[in-house]
Amino acid sequence: MIPRTLFSSEHELFRESVRTFLEKHAVPFHGQWEKQGYIDRNLWNQAGEAGMLCSHLPEEYGGLGADFLYSAVVIEEVSRLGLTGIGFSLHSDIVAPYILHYGSEALKHKYLPQLISGERVTAIAMTEPGAGSDLQGVKTSAVLDGDEYVINGSKTFITNGYLADLVIVVAKTDPKAGAKGTSLFLVEADTPGFDKGKRLEKVGMKAQDTSELFFQDVRVPKENLLGQAGMGFAYLMQELPQERLTVAIGALSSAEAALQWTLDYTRERKAFGKAIADFQNTRFKLAEMATEIQIGRVFVDQCMALHLEGKLDVPTAAMAKYWATDLQCKVLDECVQLHGGYGFMWEYPIARAWADARVQRIYAGTNEIMKEIIARAL
Ligand SMILES: Cc1cc2nc3c(=O)[nH]c(=O)nc-3n(C[C@H](O)[C@H](O)[C@H](O)COP(=O)(O)OP(=O)(O)OC[C@H]3O[C@@H](n4cnc5c(N)ncnc54)[C@H](O)[C@@H]3O)c2cc1C
């Protein structure tokens, strides 16, 4: 096996504390959260206290100024334990950077400390019923009226949507200008006219609160515009590589965990007088999976190393997202097969992980869109 060299002993100490935290505060409750469709709100505050949220944010806003690998550690441990209800990475590694990179100092001082403490849960609302892959087709509008923007429209499939206190909303400030007419707004969830629709019932990731959001004449101060009007699309393009990398990191950890569960299971389970793990088919499948996971691990670690230096480009991040999530789904499917009927039983982590994995090829930009991005750069 190729040893991982990316993480320092400090990162590994942090990993230990993250794992201990999750084993105590999340693992025993996740099954219940799957039934209710969202995680316990208090977990956000506990995670904030434990330094697990937005650790990368600068100290002036209350963060630890930690490098991206601390975020990677949280993603890896959450994924390894199959805690797919926990939307920490979206909050810390996807939403917070928009505020940090494009928000005014006033917005940063107002909101970032609350993101770090878990006092505010965040979401990002891009997708609409009629616009997913084709984000230029967003219909939600934001019209300047005096000192406020008035937002109208609806969003769907929004991760953390039900628990969110603060949402980045992608809206058109100039519908005739295409991509150049798109802007990003910070909207507090208790603003009049902002309604949360139903929590969506999903095939997997059942503890994740994925919701519809509705905006009817929602008035936000014009200061809540992130960066400049019309630059929203450019900001999205700038930030999406990190989102795609986070998905790839989670995919690899989930596949590694699945392989380990399957090794344990097939060594234990007997058929025709011997362990399932001793059949040549099983041995070859396990060998193939271990090899491909190893290849993926080296590639994704290298992407992380590049990202630390600010050198991960858009097509390479797209490669990581597409390839790692395809691998994850392939591995999960093989692992379910090797578990036999038990692999289809919800009480087995492998069954949950299999159901949870499928959406990884769809969100954060579908894998087809990733291939478009890669092909364009060739
Ligand atoms: C559980 C979950 C959580 C999500 N969380 C969020 C969130 O927090 N925030 C948010 O804004 N969105 C979120 N999404 C939405 C997600 O990003 C979109 O579903 C995704 O981008 C695809 O958009 P769509 O569903 O409209 O599919 P469509 O765009 O309609 O695509 C349908 C099919 O057509 C293919 N296709 C589309 N265009 C092309 C093309 N040019 N070339 C080739 N094939 C193409 C797609 O790849 C796909 O296979 C989430 C979705 C899910 C399911």
Side-chain angles (χ1 to χ4, degrees):
M1 292 290 162
I2 299 172
R4 295 186 84 183
T5 52
L6 199 54
F7 295 91
S8 68
S9 51
E10 282 81 23
H11 294 120
E12 293 306 336
L13 274 177
F14 181 64
R15 188 187 298 282
E16 281 304 310
S17 70
V18 169
R19 195 175 294 173
T20 306
F21 174 91
L22 294 171
E23 278 168 353
K24 180 169 176 206
H25 296 289
V27 172
F29 312 107
H30 202 261
Q32 177 53 33
W33 296 341
E34 285 173 349
K35 289 193 183 115
Q36 70 182 21
Y38 57 97
I39 67 168
D40 184 358
R41 175 65 181 80
N42 195 36
L43 187 77
W44 285 92
N45 304 79
Q46 292 169 327
E49 267 170 44
M52 281 174 55
L53 301 178
C54 306
S55 57
H56 59 87
L57 287 175
E59 288 171 19
E60 59 179 308
Y61 307 114
L64 301 172
D67 63 41
F68 176 75
L69 294 181
Y70 286 85
S71 294
V73 163
V74 175
I75 298 166
E76 289 186 357
E77 294 313 306
V78 166
S79 302
R80 202 179 302 284
L81 291 166
L83 301 169
T84 50
I86 296 181
F88 293 166
S89 179
L90 182 120
H91 171 90
S92 301
D93 309 317
I94 297 171
V95 175
Y98 283 101
I99 304 177
L100 180 68
H101 296 149
Y102 310 112
S104 63
E105 277 308 312
L107 288 177
K108 289 193 236 186
H109 281 285
K110 180 174 178 189
Y111 291 121
L112 292 180
Q114 298 175 340
L115 265 63
I116 294 163
S117 67
E119 196 181 331
R120 268 187 206 272
V121 174
T122 60
I124 179 160
M126 300 178 265
T127 307
E128 301 185 354
S133 302
D134 183 11
L135 272 184
Q136 296 193 22
V138 158
K139 292 272 184 297
T140 297
S141 63
V143 177
L144 192 60
D145 180 28
D147 286 343
E148 294 171 324
Y149 277 96
V150 184
I151 301 179
N152 278 287
S154 61
K155 300 287 180 181
T156 193
F157 301 152
I158 306 307
T159 301
N160 293 347
Y162 172 70
L163 287 178
D165 308 289
L166 184 70
V167 180
I168 296 178
V169 178
V170 177
K172 284 277 167 75
T173 37
D174 183 356
K176 290 191 208 85
K180 290 195 176 126
T182 305
S183 305
L184 309 183
F185 295 90
L186 280 176
V187 183
E188 296 189 10
D190 56 3
T191 314
F194 178 3
D195 287 313
K196 293 174 177 178
K198 59 177 184 301
R199 278 194 316 278
L200 300 162
E201 213 173 307
K202 305 188 295 300
V203 169
M205 290 197 167
K206 289 176 181 289
Q208 174 57 251
D209 58 306
T210 311
S211 296
E212 299 172 317
L213 302 177
F214 299 103
F215 305 87
Q216 195 175 12
D217 292 330
V218 174
R219 303 185 81 89
V220 296
K222 69 176 191 317
E223 291 75 23
N224 280 27
L225 171 71
L226 284 174
Q228 294 170 27
M231 288 296 288
F233 214 75
Y235 299 154
L236 289 169
M237 293 306 113
Q238 189 68 28
E239 300 299 323
L240 285 173
Q242 174 156 310
E243 175 171 356
R244 289 166 186 157
L245 178 60
T246 63
V247 174
I249 294 167
L252 252 293
S253 287
S254 162
E256 281 171 347
L259 178 62
Q260 189 57 53
W261 298 331
T262 307
L263 278 167
D264 295 343
Y265 181 81
T266 54
R267 283 169 180 160
E268 193 69 31
R269 176 85 176 164
K270 302 248 177 339
F272 299 96
K274 59 183 186 178
I276 302 286
D278 290 336
F279 293 114
Q280 191 189 51
N281 176 68
T282 311
R283 294 165 57 73
F284 283 12
K285 289 288 177 205
L286 292 169
E288 286 165 14
M289 288 191 282
T291 306
E292 290 188 57
I293 289 170
Q294 175 72 89
I295 293 166
R297 169 53 68 213
V298 172
F299 176 57
V300 172
D301 277 4
Q302 183 62 26
C303 288
M304 280 196 249
L306 281 173
H307 190 53
L308 281 177
E309 293 176 33
K311 290 184 184 160
L312 180 67
D313 62 29
V314 171
T316 311
M319 286 177 184
K321 193 271 172 183
Y322 130 62
W323 197 83
T325 58
D326 269 11
L327 176 68
Q328 178 190 14
C329 287
K330 189 169 98 172
V331 165
L332 264 297
D333 196 67
E334 290 289 4
C335 288
V336 165
Q337 191 68 19
L338 291 175
H339 276 73
Y342 295 95
F344 202 62
M345 296 299 126
W346 197 251
E347 68 184 278
Y348 278 71
I350 196 70
R352 293 164 131 103
W354 173 75
D356 291 349
R358 185 61 184 85
V359 76
Q360 295 258 87
R361 291 164 58 198
I362 296 172
Y363 61 20
T366 66
N367 285 6
E368 292 72 35
I369 295 297
M370 295 304 103
K371 290 176 196 175
E372 278 294 330
I373 291 169
I374 299 160
R376 244 179 266 150
L378 296 178

